[in-house]
Structure formats: structure tokens, C-alpha cells
Amino acid sequence: MAEPYVIKMPQLTDTMTEGVLVSWEKSVGDKIQRGDVVATIETDKAIMDVEVFREGYLSGPRVAVDTVVPVGEAIAWLVASADQVRDTSGSSTPQPVAETASAVSSAPQPSGTEVVPPRVPGAHPAPRPQQGTASPFARQLAGQQGVDLNQLQGSGPAGVIVGADVMSATARRSVPVMAGARVPEPGVPGDGRAMSAIEKAISQAMEASLSIPVFHVTVKAKPEALMRAAKAHKVSLTVAIAKAASQALAKHPLVNAAYQPTDKIVERAQHDIGIAATTEDGGLVVPVLRSVESKALEQLQQDWTPLVERARKRRLSPPEYTHPTFTISNMGMYGITQFDAIVTPGTAAIIAIAGNGPEGMPITITADHRVVNGAEAAVFLNDLKKAIEHPESWLETATPIPEGDYDVQVLVIGAGPGGEDCARELVENGIKVAMVNNAPYPGGECLWRGCIPSKAWRAAADRIRDREHDAAMGLQMGTPKLDWAQLEKYRRGILQTRGEMALKTDQGMKIQVLEGTARFTGEHSVEISGKDARHLSFGACVIATGAPAFVPPIPGVQEALQSGAAVTSDTVWDLAHPPKRLCVIGAGAIGMEMAQMFHDFGAEVLVLEALPRPVAEMEKEVAEQLMKALAHNSPRLQVLTSVKVQEISGKPGALDIHYQVGETDTHHACDLLLVATGKRPDPSALNLPAAGVTLAERGAIAASATGQTSASHIYAVGDVVGGYMLAHTASQQGRVAAANLLGHTARYDAAKDSGVTFTRPQCAFVGLSLEQAKAAGMDVTEVKVPMSIDAKAMMTGETDGLIKMIADKISHRIVGVHLLADHADLLVGEAVMMVSAGLTLEQVGEAIHPHPTQTELFGEMARRLLSRLRRSARAAG
């Protein structure tokens, strides 16, 4: 960076034209890394961070705190070296808040000054005029007002069409002008203070609302049933009301629509409900609860809790408060008996909820008459009243096992982790269960083709790798030599023992274990073919049939699989010996685990991945660091990305893989091909239409977070429903399905799930990454430490990797942990408890971790991040 880089006032909201510099988080001369927060600013909605995505040193001239800076103007500079830093502050352009306010109130505004109006969702800037030019503001306003710029004469410099020209055109045809054209007001005696940015935003929104023709309708609803339901589901009444409103909006989509100038109506399928909330300083903000129509109450509460915390501190980001489709204002807690709310541009309606009285809770709708007529509003309110008074009609509740003369109360199809855990949970509660399994022993893919056999190989590979550290510790134990026959005998012995143990346990618990395959013949019946063939009727059913390996349509791949020249993750377990030259298609978790294990067994391995980066399911930096580690600890392992495999030819032991990288075609010779392109559900043999069960994308069974399918008495869990295809995920989903069948309310929460990829070092995660959390509307930050600073890792020569912790800035709740470490499978256990229990940085930082262990890194990270957040809070006042 030869030239100084300008750090500008960013435009963080659609309506933002200027910002107030609230605090400097970095000092002049500080070294700045990519992604560092250098300052905080107040926008028209909230206080937000200014991040810099370059490296350098912070330099003056730097504007002073409490200075108003127009969008796009400099607030500081970034220079390449410390000797270039200028330790100066102040700027001739921006002015302090008080001075700016005084100047605005006492001096006439220059001609052509343009104030950006509130953005109308769905409105686009008008096309550029065929002759001449128009300012960006004029184009935006013309798009909102439906004005043809070709019909206007510009009054700006050199004939440029400016916003005033568009406003004049709208006035001539009697179209109400939106915010920005202020009506002259009478003078008010006294010395006024300048409005804050949020007060100005509210003022402008209220002015814009004056152009909307509105009416009011009121109904009274008794909220007691909804209160009980909210308590039972452990959610706030606010969230429950939002979900009830969504039920009514689904029946009356016009209430969820908006007027768009000129003479258009924007209809929205999603229910993004804004809920008015007061801030700690007495202000008002409207955080938006997104996609209410598609989320369960518990998930909405998880979204709302951190959202309202940030709202109270005015720390919302633009996606968290912009563009609601419907709004709720609840002043009932203040004892208000009735009031009207104000509908603003971009929405067609708002409801005002007053305090509960003898006749119920008054709910008044204010609606835009251009979109919603009186009858529509009245029927909407009546449907909302029904949803509030009878929540049992729409709440997702546990579905008890249907009663009837059935052979079994519950049939479980599949005996992998999901099916087996579900069956055991049910029989422990006195339910009669039959479990159909397509193999002699339970365990499914996890035991026979996945987790357990692959980790037996991994354990052997780890022993080989551990010998690499012996010499550094002064040990001479010789070069390890692999006896494949003995390893396979050892591995198969583990599988057989665990399979026999599982069957003995299931039968001892009185689960009726049937060997065969099941096919639905009706809503409550199946036909079982195989060893224990029979017809069976059931009250409820749980489908847990897993998912087979997916084989992409590559020319020659099916022939290679049939001849044994190629294998999948389902068929790799019958090898007579490990290959000397292995090609792997797919660099996901399965592909990378297998690739490195066979490398450690002595093979030369080439991995071909179609995506731009390997292990794409892992957090980005963890994946990047893994590849760096592999580059220096697995010299015979090569990974190529963005590859298109074009053809496979040859025979067992002599395969030719034809592939393309960019514009280059090339070939690779190998002994064996492993197709590791993931798994994909294939429930076609179940005859699901006979049971009334529908499918989602890519053959997966459509199921809710409770496991319930489109047939209320049939549940589906594990790989067959897609998502995380992990054994422990299936187990949890199986237990959730059992709980709901027993009459309890339980849900699977993917945001608290975890996983481990058994490479060396291992990848592990629990919860959300920084990107996932931000995409979910959370205001989060992260801290990370390299394993190289850990004493225990140095002792064992296992210094590759890092640990990252993600936490909410306001609540300090830990929402995610991501690891790359040799013992991540052990370390992630503590991280699982942090995220699952919703622990805070304070709780983890104050916990006493033993030394020397790698778990003490969690406490260190929590304390470090907590200190950073506290410094930022102090700087922000």
C-alpha cells in the first residue's frame, strides 16, 4: 500500500446520508489488521462498527468524537508504515453536532440540497434519461414516484436533473411527495437542541406517513390461552403474538403487502414482523423478526432474545431493523387502555396492542387504505383474535401415538443410531415397538460402513504418525510396518462385538427386532420382505433408513464400480490390501479422512474436488489451515480444487482418470478410485405415497424440527431427512421424535449441533461460524488462538491448528467454537457444553481449567474476548 488509504464514513443504511463519530476503538499509530474495528458511528438507526479490511497503521488527520461526517468523506487514514503516521486530528469538512445544527437552523439551505427519502422495498432507480444526466437521488426518487425522467428539464448545474425537479413533477400531478420535501412550519421560541440521528429518522418517517390514507379498526381478544401456551413453550408473549399474527397474515396477504409509487402493490410471501422496542436511553427502535411464517416458536425466541438485547442498546445492524412487512406496537405493559399506531411507508398495516381488561386486550389496526380495505382489516383482526384465543389450532404440539387395534404402537424402520435410540427411548417408557433392520445386527452405516470402521483405520494411522515424534523425544522404536490382515481382523472384531452387544441390548429391552426391508402398503401398515417377512400394522412410525453413497454421473464410473476398480464409502471395506496409488473424487469430510489414512498406510494420493475449496462444510479458516498442515505433514497427498472429472477408464489396478482443471485436460493413473462425493437419501423403496409422506429437495423426506412428516403420525430422522448427515445428529433426532410421540415437546436445533472430521490434525465444530451467525442477524465477534502457543501441544509436537470462539457482542453468549487440533475430538466436548447451555464469556472465563491442558485455552480466549468487548463498551460511553 504505497499511497495512504482513506477510511471513509460508510453508508450503513439505505437512508443514511451522514453519521456521527461516537468513539475511536484504535489509536493513531496502532497496527491495523484486516477486519479490525477502528471506530463506532451513530447512524439514523443504531450505533455500529466501522471495520477496515486492509492492513496498515492508523493515521491522522482524524475527525473528532461527536463530529457529523457526510457519507463518503474521510474520517481517518491508513498508511503503510509507522513512520508515515500523522498524529493529528480534526477536519475542515465535518462539523461538530451542535455547530451543524445551528448552521442548519439559521442559514438558508443551498439550492439543490437533497435528502434521501425512506426506501420503498421493491422500488428501483428510474433509468437514466435518454438525453442529459440525472443525479442518483433524482433517479431513486423518480423510481419511487413513477416519474419519467425524459419528460423533465433539469435545473441543476449544466442542466442535470436533480431531486427538486422530480418533486416538482410529482406536485404538478398531485401525487403526495415522500419525506424530503418539508412543509414550512411556524417558528418556535427558545433554543432547541439538535436531534439525534435516530430522532431525525423517526421525524422523517412520521412526515412520510402523513401522505398515507389510513383508517383504524379495533377488536378485543382474550390473551390468557396464548399466555399459557407461551409459558409452556418457554417463549415470551411478544414472540407468541408475532407467531399468531403470522397465522392471520397467511390468510390475508394484502395486510402483509405495501403500496409502491405509483399505483403498484408489492406482495410479500415472507412475514418479516417489526416489533417496537424501547432503548435504554428512552428511544424507540423496531427490530425485525424475520421469516416468522416458517419458524417454530422456540426458534423465534432464540432469534428474538439477542435481537431485543441489541435493540435496547441501539446496536442493531441494518438487516435487523430494515424493511419489515408488518409491524406490532405493544404498549399494554404500560397500562394503556387503547391507542393508535402509525403506519409508515413500506408497510400496509401496524397493530397497536393495549393492556388486557375485563373484555380482553384491545388490538387496533392502522391500515393503508390504498392496499387494505375496511372489510379485509376487520376479517384479519377476527382471525388474529382466533389465533390468540385458540393457539392450539396452530401451535406445533406433540402428537400422541394413535390408539387402535395395531400390531405395534410404533414401528421404527432402520436400526442405525437414529432408529435405535428412538426405539430404546420409547420402550423405556412402556411403548410396544418393532424395529425393522435390513441386516442381521443393528448399528447401521455408523457401525458397519462409517464412524466405527473408519476410526479403527484412523487409530492405526495415528500410531504410525506418532512415531514421527519419537526421535525428537529421544526415543528409538523403529519404523512402523503395517500388517493389513491383522488390522482388518482387529477392525472386524470390533464391529462384530459391538453389533452383538447392540442386538442383545435391544432384545433385552423388549424391542421386537425384525430382519428385512419394509414397504408401506397404507397409512398404518407395511409389508416386510426378507428373513422376518410379514404384514405389520402400526399406530405411529419412525423412518430412519439413512442415505447411500452418492455417485455422480461421470462416464465410466458405474463400470469401474461394478468391476471393483472403484469403491465408495459403502464398499471400501472389502479391500484385500491398501492401494499404492489412490485417487479420491471429493474433498469433503469422508474424502479427506480416507485420503490421509491411506497416505499414512503408504499410498500416493490425489484428491479431486469440484468446489473451489476442500472440506467446504468446515469453517473457512479451519479448512485453509488444515490444507496448510497437510501440505507439510502429508507429502504424498495432493489436493486439486475446481476440477471437472470427465471420464474414468481402465481395469482394477490400472485406472485412468481423465479430468480438467481450468482449460487444461490431463490424466492420472492409479490402482484404485474412491468416489467420496457425499451421501444422498433414496427412500424410493419405501413407497411413501401410500403413507401420505412427501419429499423435500434431493430425495430427502420433508420433516420439521420435531421430526414430523406431512403425515402427522409418521416421523423421519437421520440422513434420510438431509442436513447434517452425522450419527449423533441422527441419535438426537431419534430421541426428539420419541419425545414428541410420548406427548412431550422437543425439537432438534441445528444451531447447537457439532461434528468432527478425523484428519490429522482433526477439524471440529459446534454451533455457528462467524459468517453463519451474521447471516442469522446476530451481532457477533470472534477470538482465536493458534495451537502453537499451547504448552501441552509443544510437548507432544502437535502445534498445527487453531481454536476460534464466536460470541454475541451484547449478551456475551458463546454461539460457536471451531477447532483444528490433534485432539479436537476431545476438546470439542467442552465447547459443546458451552454452546448447548448458552454459557457466557464470563462463565467460561471464570471457570478454573487445569494446567497444563489444552482446555485452558477456552478460558484464556473467553477472558481475552471479554476484555476486548469491555474496552469497546467503555470507549463508546
Side-chain angles (χ1 to χ4, degrees):
M1 185 178 63
E3 296 296 326
Y5 172 73
V6 183
I7 303 176
K8 300 177 181 179
M9 173 63 68
Q11 183 172 19
L12 298 174
T13 74
D14 292 330
T15 58
M16 178 180 172
T17 58
E18 61 186 24
V20 179
L21 201 295
V22 175
S23 68
W24 283 104
E25 302 299 308
K26 297 290 185 180
S27 301
V28 170
D30 282 356
K31 181 73 169 69
I32 306 300
Q33 303 292 338
R34 291 178 61 87
D36 279 355
V37 175
V38 299
T40 63
I41 60 172
E42 182 184 37
T43 71
D44 55 356
K45 296 289 186 182
I47 296 174
M48 305 175 71
D49 296 333
V50 177
E51 296 179 88
V52 174
F53 293 94
R54 291 191 177 217
E55 295 186 356
Y57 293 84
L58 187 64
S59 172
R62 195 177 68 166
V63 301
V65 169
D66 291 334
T67 298
V68 175
V69 185
V71 167
E73 294 202 4
I75 60 173
W77 300 79
L78 207 62
V79 295
S81 59
D83 56 9
Q84 293 179 292
V85 172
R86 295 178 58 190
D87 191 7
T88 58
S89 62
S91 172
S92 60
T93 302
Q95 298 296 326
V97 176
E99 294 177 14
T100 303
S102 174
V104 169
S105 62
S106 62
Q109 294 299 299
S111 175
T113 297
E114 302 185 56
V115 181
V116 178
R119 181 180 181 274
V120 177
H124 298 285
R128 292 182 175 84
Q130 295 175 357
Q131 295 184 356
T133 57
S135 71
F137 170 75
R139 291 183 58 215
Q140 179 186 348
L141 188 59
Q144 293 175 343
Q145 299 290 347
V147 173
D148 184 358
L149 293 176
N150 294 304
Q151 305 299 319
L152 301 186
Q153 183 71 34
S155 63
V160 172
I161 300 171
V162 295
D165 302 323
V166 180
M167 291 180 183
S168 296
T170 58
R172 285 195 298 271
R173 48 173 212 189
S174 301
V175 175
V177 179
M178 300 185 68
R182 303 179 67 96
V183 177
E185 300 180 34
V188 177
D191 295 327
R193 67 166 176 82
M195 277 185 166
S196 68
I198 193 168
E199 288 171 331
K200 287 191 289 185
I202 293 173
S203 173
Q204 292 170 4
M206 293 305 98
E207 286 185 32
S209 70
L210 294 175
S211 66
I212 300 175
V214 298
F215 64 93
H216 313 282
V217 181
T218 302
V219 73
K220 293 181 179 179
K222 294 186 179 297
E224 289 77 13
L226 188 62
M227 290 176 177
R228 290 191 297 270
K231 184 177 181 180
H233 284 263
K234 298 180 181 180
V235 302
S236 68
L237 182 60
T238 297
V239 168
I241 290 174
K243 188 65 175 178
S246 179
Q247 305 304 307
L249 289 173
K251 298 179 181 179
H252 305 280
L254 279 178
V255 182
N256 193 56
Y259 176 81
Q260 183 185 74
T262 299
D263 301 332
K264 293 181 180 179
I265 292 178
V266 179
E267 297 179 341
R268 286 84 65 101
Q270 78 281 8
H271 299 165
D272 295 337
I273 299 181
I275 306 173
T278 55
T279 63
E280 291 179 348
D281 57 4
L284 182 72
V285 293
V286 185
V288 180
L289 204 52
R290 303 285 178 187
S291 302
V292 178
E293 80 289 349
S294 63
K295 295 179 181 177
L297 276 176
E298 289 79 4
Q299 181 60 55
L300 290 172
Q301 185 63 51
Q302 290 180 19
D303 294 348
W304 177 248
T305 299
L307 190 63
V308 75
E309 288 174 354
R310 290 192 290 274
R312 290 186 180 124
K313 296 180 181 294
R314 295 208 293 126
R315 299 288 291 186
L316 295 173
S317 60
E320 294 175 324
Y321 62 76
T322 54
H323 308 324
T325 63
F326 180 77
T327 310
I328 297 173
S329 179
N330 186 356
M331 295 180 67
M333 71 284 291
Y334 299 115
I336 302 300
T337 57
Q338 188 164 342
F339 72 103
D340 297 336
I342 301 174
V343 66
T344 55
T347 59
I350 182 173
I351 56 172
I353 301 176
N356 191 24
E359 297 180 1
M361 179 176 68
I363 304 175
T364 301
I365 186 171
T366 302
D368 184 342
H369 216 320
R370 297 170 299 184
V371 181
V372 182
N373 61 45
E376 183 81 15
V379 179
F380 165 80
L381 280 184
N382 280 320
D383 283 332
L384 176 57
K385 173 183 169 76
K386 291 177 184 177
I388 290 173
E389 294 182 346
H390 301 283
E392 71 280 358
S393 65
W394 53 267
L395 275 174
E396 281 191 19
T397 56
T399 303
I401 300 167
E403 296 182 1
D405 186 18
Y406 301 115
D407 295 327
V408 293
Q409 290 175 278
V410 179
L411 171 67
V412 177
I413 304 176
E420 196 171 38
D421 276 25
C422 179
R424 290 179 177 182
E425 194 78 15
L426 289 168
V427 296
E428 283 186 349
N429 286 273
I431 304 301
K432 185 178 179 181
V433 178
M435 182 170 65
V436 182
N437 186 35
N438 62 356
Y441 294 104
E445 179 183 350
C446 175
L447 176 57
W448 301 101
R449 303 179 301 281
C451 316
I452 305 304
S454 65
K455 301 323 169 275
W457 280 355
R458 179 73 258 176
D462 283 342
R463 296 293 193 278
I464 295 172
R465 281 187 169 267
D466 289 343
R467 300 288 69 78
E468 297 177 4
H469 304 302
D470 291 344
M473 297 180 183
L475 301 175
Q476 297 182 4
M477 301 179 68
T479 302
K481 182 179 179 181
L482 177 65
D483 184 335
W484 182 256
Q486 178 58 34
L487 173 58
E488 284 300 87
K489 179 181 177 181
Y490 175 77
R491 178 182 67 83
R492 295 174 190 274
I494 293 173
L495 307 190
Q496 186 69 21
T497 299
R498 290 196 61 82
E500 292 172 352
M501 289 171 58
L503 180 59
K504 184 176 181 180
T505 300
D506 293 338
Q507 292 174 336
M509 295 179 71
K510 307 303 181 186
I511 298 173
Q512 182 184 8
V513 182
L514 303 173
E515 184 179 346
T517 57
R519 181 178 183 274
F520 287 105
T521 56
E523 293 182 352
H524 291 273
S525 61
V526 295
E527 180 182 6
I528 300 173
S529 59
K531 179 182 177 183
D532 295 319
R534 68 191 64 189
H535 292 279
L536 197 70
S537 63
F538 58 84
C541 178
V542 178
I543 302 171
T545 49
F550 171 67
V551 179
I554 302 170
V557 69
Q558 291 296 341
E559 292 80 358
L561 289 169
Q562 291 169 8
S563 69
V567 293
T568 69
S569 58
D570 286 342
T571 61
V572 70
W573 311 107
D574 297 322
L575 295 179
H577 52 79
K580 295 297 183 182
R581 298 175 302 166
L582 174 67
C583 180
V584 180
I585 300 177
I590 295 173
M592 291 309 302
E593 283 185 13
M594 290 287 182
Q596 195 184 36
M597 283 190 289
F598 281 111
H599 166 277
D600 294 345
F601 293 154
E604 293 184 358
V605 184
L606 173 67
V607 181
L608 304 177
E609 171 57 50
L611 296 176
R613 70 180 181 93
V615 282
E617 61 267 40
M618 287 293 168
E619 195 271 344
K620 187 173 184 293
E621 188 173 6
V622 167
E624 291 172 348
Q625 292 294 322
L626 171 64
M627 300 316 296
K628 290 180 180 179
L630 295 181
H632 69 78
N633 70 21
S634 301
R636 298 182 309 280
L637 171 58
Q638 182 183 13
V639 181
L640 301 180
T641 57
S642 299
V643 174
K644 181 180 180 181
V645 180
Q646 296 176 316
E647 188 179 10
I648 297 162
S649 59
K651 60 183 180 179
L655 274 171
D656 184 45
I657 314 300
H658 181 200
Y659 63 93
Q660 185 179 46
V661 181
E663 300 298 323
T664 304
D665 289 343
T666 188
H667 293 257
H668 179 74
C670 62
D671 303 332
L672 181 71
L673 171 66
L674 170 62
V675 181
T677 46
K679 298 182 290 180
R680 187 169 294 182
D682 181 15
S684 57
L686 289 170
N687 191 28
L688 293 176
V693 176
T694 59
L695 296 179
E697 296 179 352
R698 295 193 172 191
I701 295 178
S704 69
T706 67
Q708 197 170 47
T709 69
S710 54
S712 62
H713 65 295
I714 297 180
Y715 287 70
V717 302
D719 295 355
V720 76
V721 301
Y724 288 133
M725 294 191 181
L726 304 169
H728 51 272
T729 301
S731 294
Q732 173 67 4
Q733 291 173 344
R735 292 189 292 268
V736 165
N740 283 279
L741 285 168
L742 291 168
H744 310 304
T745 300
R747 305 181 68 81
Y748 162 70
D749 185 359
K752 293 183 178 179
D753 208 340
S754 59
V756 182
T757 299
F758 286 83
T759 49
R760 185 77 178 263
Q762 298 165 346
C763 305
F765 78 93
V766 57
L768 305 175
S769 67
L770 188 73
E771 292 76 14
Q772 289 171 328
K774 287 185 175 181
M778 302 173 68
D779 187 14
V780 292
T781 187
E782 69 178 12
V783 63
K784 59 185 176 182
V785 296
M787 296 305 298
S788 58
I789 70 168
D790 178 66
K792 188 70 162 45
M794 295 173 69
M795 295 173 202
T796 55
E798 298 168 333
T799 54
D800 285 332
L802 78 164
I803 304 178
K804 306 180 81 167
M805 180 182 290
I806 296 93
D808 186 278
K809 290 182 181 178
I810 304 302
S811 68
H812 297 172
R813 188 167 50 91
I814 298 169
V815 299
V817 179
H818 298 262
L819 308 95
L820 179 66
D822 276 78
H823 304 287
D825 59 336
L826 302 178
L827 293 171
V828 75
E830 180 169 333
V832 165
M833 298 308 296
M834 295 178 202
V835 175
S836 178
L839 298 185
T840 63
L841 295 171
E842 288 86 348
Q843 290 171 312
V844 175
E846 292 168 5
I848 304 172
H849 291 84
H851 176 79
T853 67
Q854 292 177 341
T855 61
E856 60 189 319
L857 290 174
F858 292 127
E860 173 64 27
M861 285 191 293
R863 291 187 292 272
R864 184 189 302 178
L865 185 53
L866 188 60
S867 177
R868 186 204 306 168
L869 291 172
R870 286 170 174 169
R871 288 198 307 271
S872 297
R874 286 196 299 270

